[in-house]
Amino acid sequence: MKQFTLKSVRTQSLVWCGAVLLYCQVGVAQAQVIIMNGVAVARETVAANGVTPHKMPGFSISVDEKKLNLLEDYERYIRHRMWEKALTSLKELSDTRSTSRLLPTKDGFLIDAEDRVFQALTALPAEGREAFRLFFDGKARKQFEDLTSSGQLLTPEAAQEARLVFSQYFLTSIGDDVADLLGNDAFEQGKFPQAARYWRAILDHHPDSNLSEVDLNVKYALALIRNRQFEQAASTIQLISQQYADQKVTLGGESVDPVVYLKAILPTDSEKNNIHSVAATVLSNRLAQPLELTGKTLQPRWQVTYLDQAVEQAIANSQSDYYGRSKSYQTFVPPMAVDDQRAYFNFYGICFGVDLQTGKLVWRNAKFKDLGTNFNNYSFHQSSNLNQYHITVDGDYVLATLIPQKEMNRYRACYRLIAYQRDSGKQLWQSSQTNESFISKPLIDGDQVYVISHQQNNKLLTLNCLQLKTGKKQWSIPLGSVVAGNSSNGMPIMPIPILRKTGDSLLILTNNGALFEINLATKAINWAFRYPYKVDQSSTNYYYAALDEEVQLHSEGQMLRDENLVYFKEAGMDEVFALDLSAKKMLWKRPIKTSSQLVGIDQENLYLLSRELEAIDRQSHELNWAVKLPVAAGGMSALLGPDRLWVFTSRGIFEISQTNGDVLEIYRGHDLTSLGGSIDFQRGLMLCISNQAVTAYPVGDSDPPPAAETDIETENKQP
């Protein structure tokens, strides 16, 4: 049995053990306790700006206010050394059933209550730890022995009970043993982040452990490698080589050199770069090879024009009568989704598929000329949110969010989620005809669809999991309520959340002051990160007001991830953030133009686009360079190559050096009267999507077929 010496006086020990006992019973913690001049002092849980995360302006997350009040009482009693009242408050707290599983930390995060307890326990000073062991060691050892047999957890119930012992009694003499057992169990089940957490806890908070330090470090490095945290794994391997030179470990029944073994399974630099570029391509249009563009005037393989004269005139009319002035319809660029055969578009609810190689219009769900009628209806301008049109494709399904044409004349019409057959465009299913409106781009994952919605007269956001084949809802999670701004006609403008999935975790950027991580296996919120988000809720109805740059460019929020680092900038916000998800820590934030949108990331820089392209250093968050560009429309994006990038503007395609921002070349395309827009690269074609057409330019030495042009007016003559 491990020995310890009680250094603190008996009365202080009694206070410590009573406080810790109630911490364990309650399962929550709101304050950290520090020792100042021998006196226990509670430090309130506040963010860096002095405001608790859940009270910041913007997105509203439900927190148990009664428990928060009790915790504030406890903190006040601790500061005034009123020990009896402090313990009474904790006792009352233990008897209060929690209505929320998230509790705030001092770093802007709201985390799981059990994790918050663990933070509070491991923050105890030496005197508190010794008192804790004195009073709880026997009970913890008895519970642990009852749970284990032959060093293994026999049932899921036993594993759950062991996790409870870990969270409540980690600082006792058996805490390291239960953590090691849980780490082994998590590793065998493929839960590598959890395994790494358990082993790291022993290394950080159990300095007197009888377990082999080299074994713990080797297992920790293995979990990091399996979880693709290669930089942290490399640092751990270096530590092993320096501190445990020539020591052997037993793996798979064989005695091996841990450094040699770990380096053999650690991916090489080229393999890590390949893994990185696969992830980066999905998130930020990274290209493995530079584009080979020939001649300053590009010749298209095909072009499809979707802005016909009737729609163009209707848009002009909406500006003259001011009903649609605040929407900036002229600069709207439709969203696109691409598979291996076609490109799919959502133009004000007209969804259509185009053959990538020929430019032939394969299918459409309605006639383009009918849009002109809808633009003349005031109800359409009230309901429309241009950033709420989405489209995505996976397998045989194309999913889109839109206002069906037959509902465009409705007051405050809802955005429906509709599934189409990829090859024919046949409608397969549509979300129910209720007041539910879908606001995020659907994320397809196997046979499931993740999408966020709200009730039309309610600002509570809900994450939904639907069956891809039928659209039937499988489960949902309420996230919290947004603070919505108002349009010029007084209607609320809902933020557009962004979804990104990694393993069993789903990141949700609300574009309203909160970032969530959802555990899809448990269907629960892992944590939330809050930051102030101010919204103008005034209703001026000032139709003559000049449009802000972010409205003209349809600036969107965006989130880019590189392993455990996440960079994001929300729509309507003037700051960009960098987070370390493994440490639950904000690395930095810096001011940026409100109209800027994240468009790419490489090893050195973040790239943000507005009417200038800016390169922000990922480490120092300083501005490396900036260049003004004639950007005049939405769909802001960039193609990133190994040493240069490309942006589609109103004056053509700009080729820019990633080193210093110099404009290397300007290519004039075939869409000369457009305002520019988004750019993508698919199957040997550079796709430029503008406010009026999509144009495909061949890249490389391939011999393209003759150029083809498809005009919507011609297509409208079809039945």
Side-chain angles (χ1 to χ4, degrees):
M1 181 175 178
K2 301 174 186 176
Q3 302 294 320
F4 58 88
T5 304
L6 184 63
K7 297 180 181 179
S8 58
V9 298
R10 184 174 301 276
T11 55
Q12 286 187 339
S13 297
L14 181 60
V15 171
W16 278 114
C17 72
V20 174
L21 171 62
L22 289 168
Y23 267 126
C24 298
Q25 292 175 342
V26 175
V28 296
Q30 278 287 125
Q32 290 183 329
V33 181
I34 58 176
I35 297 294
M36 297 179 62
N37 299 324
V39 178
V41 180
R43 183 171 63 190
E44 294 184 8
T45 301
V46 296
N49 60 1
V51 180
T52 54
H54 71 288
K55 293 183 179 179
M56 292 179 180
F59 197 86
S60 175
I61 300 175
S62 175
V63 174
D64 192 328
E65 293 292 343
K66 184 176 181 179
K67 281 200 168 185
L68 285 177
N69 292 334
L70 289 171
L71 286 168
E72 289 174 359
D73 291 342
Y74 163 75
E75 291 165 352
R76 183 174 67 256
Y77 294 143
I78 288 293
R79 287 195 300 271
H80 294 288
R81 307 183 191 182
M82 303 169 67
W83 309 118
E84 184 177 352
K85 288 189 175 182
L87 295 179
T88 301
S89 294
L90 284 176
K91 178 64 171 65
E92 187 178 354
L93 180 62
S94 68
D95 296 335
T96 302
R97 185 174 181 178
S98 179
T99 59
S100 174
R101 61 190 305 272
L102 295 178
L103 293 173
T105 71
K106 63 183 179 64
D107 298 317
F109 282 86
L110 292 99
I111 64 174
D112 183 81
E114 193 171 295
D115 293 336
R116 193 66 184 87
V117 171
F118 187 79
Q119 285 187 3
L121 291 179
T122 55
L124 287 174
E127 293 87 350
R129 290 177 177 233
E130 291 169 353
F132 185 88
R133 287 193 177 186
L134 177 65
F135 287 93
F136 294 109
D137 207 79
K139 182 177 180 181
R141 180 173 293 279
K142 178 65 169 61
Q143 282 189 327
F144 183 59
E145 289 175 352
D146 292 342
L147 287 171
T148 59
S149 175
S150 303
Q152 295 182 350
L153 298 175
L154 298 179
T155 64
E157 292 75 16
Q160 176 60 33
E161 192 67 26
R163 286 191 288 271
L164 189 61
V165 172
F166 168 80
S167 64
Q168 292 185 345
Y169 303 122
F170 176 69
L171 295 184
T172 65
S173 62
I174 57 89
D176 53 342
D177 296 316
V178 70
D180 185 49
L181 196 61
L182 286 168
N184 294 336
D185 186 64
F187 192 89
E188 291 174 1
Q189 296 183 45
K191 300 177 180 178
F192 305 118
Q194 292 91 324
R197 172 177 175 258
Y198 289 126
W199 290 322
R200 185 73 254 174
I202 302 172
L203 293 168
D204 288 342
H205 303 297
H206 244 287
D208 57 348
S209 174
N210 289 333
L211 299 172
S212 167
E213 285 192 31
V214 63
D215 286 350
L216 290 171
N217 276 284
V218 170
K219 292 195 288 188
Y220 176 61
L222 280 171
L224 293 176
I225 293 173
R226 294 289 186 256
N227 199 41
R228 294 187 173 183
Q229 296 175 252
F230 302 125
E231 292 184 6
Q232 291 177 259
S235 298
T236 304
I237 294 171
Q238 183 178 9
L239 181 146
I240 294 171
S241 66
Q242 293 173 349
Q243 297 188 8
Y244 311 104
D246 301 326
Q247 291 194 36
K248 304 288 185 180
V249 298
T250 301
L251 294 172
E254 298 182 4
S255 179
V256 299
D257 184 320
V259 176
V260 174
Y261 178 85
L262 291 170
K263 285 184 176 180
I265 63 174
L266 187 70
T268 63
D269 290 339
S270 61
E271 291 172 332
K272 284 188 285 187
N273 288 338
N274 287 338
I275 293 171
H276 173 81
S277 59
V278 168
T281 299
V282 174
L283 297 182
S284 57
N285 289 346
R286 285 288 300 276
L287 300 175
Q289 301 295 330
L291 296 178
E292 299 178 7
L293 301 178
T294 57
K296 292 187 178 181
T297 301
L298 300 177
Q299 296 300 317
R301 176 171 294 184
W302 52 262
Q303 184 180 77
V304 174
T305 303
Y306 36 76
L307 184 64
D308 72 353
Q309 292 181 353
V311 177
E312 191 171 10
Q313 184 60 51
I315 290 176
N317 293 340
S318 73
Q319 305 304 297
S320 62
D321 60 21
Y322 302 108
Y323 289 161
R325 179 176 173 79
S326 64
K327 306 290 186 177
S328 192
Y329 292 115
Q330 299 98 323
T331 61
F332 174 66
V333 173
M336 177 185 71
V338 181
D339 61 16
D340 58 348
Q341 298 181 38
R342 304 180 189 91
Y344 308 88
F345 302 87
N346 186 347
F347 187 59
Y348 299 110
I350 304 292
C351 298
F352 58 98
V354 177
D355 186 276
L356 274 179
Q357 297 306 314
T358 66
K360 180 181 178 181
L361 187 65
V362 180
W363 60 264
R364 53 185 169 84
N365 65 350
K367 295 181 179 181
F368 291 88
K369 65 179 182 180
D370 294 338
L371 280 176
T373 303
N374 297 311
F375 272 94
N376 292 323
N377 292 320
Y378 179 64
S379 295
F380 169 74
H381 300 299
Q382 278 193 317
S383 304
S384 66
N385 181 348
L386 302 189
N387 289 335
Q388 211 166 325
Y389 288 102
H390 302 291
I391 193 164
T392 188
V393 60
D394 190 277
D396 293 330
Y397 295 84
V398 174
L399 300 185
T401 57
L402 53 91
I403 301 176
Q405 288 204 21
K406 63 182 180 180
E407 298 182 35
M408 282 187 176
N409 294 333
R410 286 180 51 185
Y411 174 71
R412 301 189 69 177
C414 296
Y415 278 74
R416 308 298 183 186
L417 178 61
I418 302 177
Y420 300 99
Q421 208 284 328
R422 182 191 67 165
D423 296 327
S424 65
K426 178 183 177 182
Q427 181 172 316
L428 301 176
W429 53 262
Q430 176 179 323
S431 58
S432 60
Q433 299 290 327
T434 64
N435 285 329
E436 187 174 27
S437 188
F438 292 86
I439 61 175
S440 75
K441 180 178 179 179
L443 191 158
I444 302 176
D445 181 43
D447 295 330
Q448 296 176 319
V449 180
Y450 301 104
V451 65
I452 292 178
S453 67
H454 74 103
Q455 295 297 314
Q456 190 66 305
N457 296 317
N458 195 318
K459 297 176 182 178
L460 174 67
L461 297 190
T462 301
L463 171 66
N464 305 284
C465 177
L466 313 178
Q467 289 181 354
L468 177 60
K469 293 183 178 180
T470 64
K472 183 179 179 181
K473 186 176 296 187
Q474 295 180 310
W475 52 265
S476 61
I477 300 174
L479 299 175
S481 298
V482 304
V483 178
N486 292 319
S487 65
S488 60
N489 54 27
M491 305 302 290
I493 302 174
M494 296 295 291
I496 309 301
I498 307 294
L499 280 62
R500 297 281 184 265
K501 183 178 180 294
T502 303
D504 288 334
S505 298
L506 181 69
L507 287 180
I508 300 175
L509 182 68
T510 63
N511 274 303
N512 198 244
L515 173 68
F516 287 88
E517 182 183 78
I518 307 297
N519 187 322
L520 297 176
T522 61
K523 304 178 182 61
I525 299 172
N526 279 344
W527 53 260
F529 177 66
R530 284 285 285 109
Y531 36 91
Y533 188 94
K534 297 181 180 179
V535 177
D536 183 8
Q537 294 183 290
S538 61
S539 299
T540 60
N541 295 327
Y542 185 36
Y543 295 107
Y544 298 88
L547 294 181
D548 293 330
E549 183 175 312
E550 58 267 27
V551 176
Q552 296 178 14
L553 302 183
H554 302 277
S555 302
E556 300 177 359
Q558 188 56 273
M559 170 174 52
L560 303 177
R561 181 169 185 170
D562 182 6
E563 296 182 359
N564 286 308
L565 302 180
V566 169
Y567 306 88
F568 67 88
K569 193 268 180 189
E570 291 202 330
M573 198 170 185
D574 58 1
E575 289 180 314
V576 58
F577 289 80
L579 298 184
D580 183 342
L581 299 188
S582 60
K584 301 292 190 298
K585 179 182 179 182
M586 183 179 72
L587 299 178
W588 54 261
K589 65 177 180 178
R590 65 156 289 149
I592 202 74
K593 290 175 62 176
T594 303
S595 59
S596 295
Q597 179 176 318
L598 270 174
V599 294
I601 181 175
D602 59 23
Q603 298 297 330
E604 302 295 332
N605 297 320
L606 294 176
Y607 298 96
L608 295 104
L609 183 62
S610 55
R611 284 183 173 147
E612 63 180 351
L613 180 65
E614 300 171 272
I616 307 296
D617 189 278
R618 289 176 58 177
Q619 296 295 327
S620 67
H621 58 273
E622 297 294 331
L623 178 67
N624 282 338
W625 54 259
V627 57
K628 288 187 177 297
L629 296 173
V631 175
M636 290 190 293
S637 58
L639 283 175
L640 273 68
D643 59 356
R644 61 194 67 186
L645 50 80
W646 295 263
V647 178
F648 178 33
T649 76
S650 61
R651 297 291 302 278
I653 301 167
F654 278 61
E655 184 177 297
I656 301 166
S657 169
Q658 291 176 225
T659 303
N660 52 26
D662 288 348
V663 177
L664 303 177
E665 194 64 78
I666 302 176
Y667 300 94
R668 299 293 290 171
H670 198 66
D671 198 3
L672 300 179
T673 61
S674 78
L675 300 177
S678 62
I679 187 170
D680 202 349
F681 181 77
Q682 298 289 338
R683 300 185 67 81
L685 295 172
M686 177 188 285
L687 301 176
C688 294
I689 305 95
S690 73
N691 60 308
Q692 61 188 25
V694 53
T695 310
Y697 301 99
V699 176
D701 300 327
S702 60
D703 295 328
E709 294 189 19
T710 301
D711 194 293
I712 292 305
E713 291 188 25
T714 301
E715 292 298 328
N716 283 337
K717 295 177 183 179
Q718 299 176 7

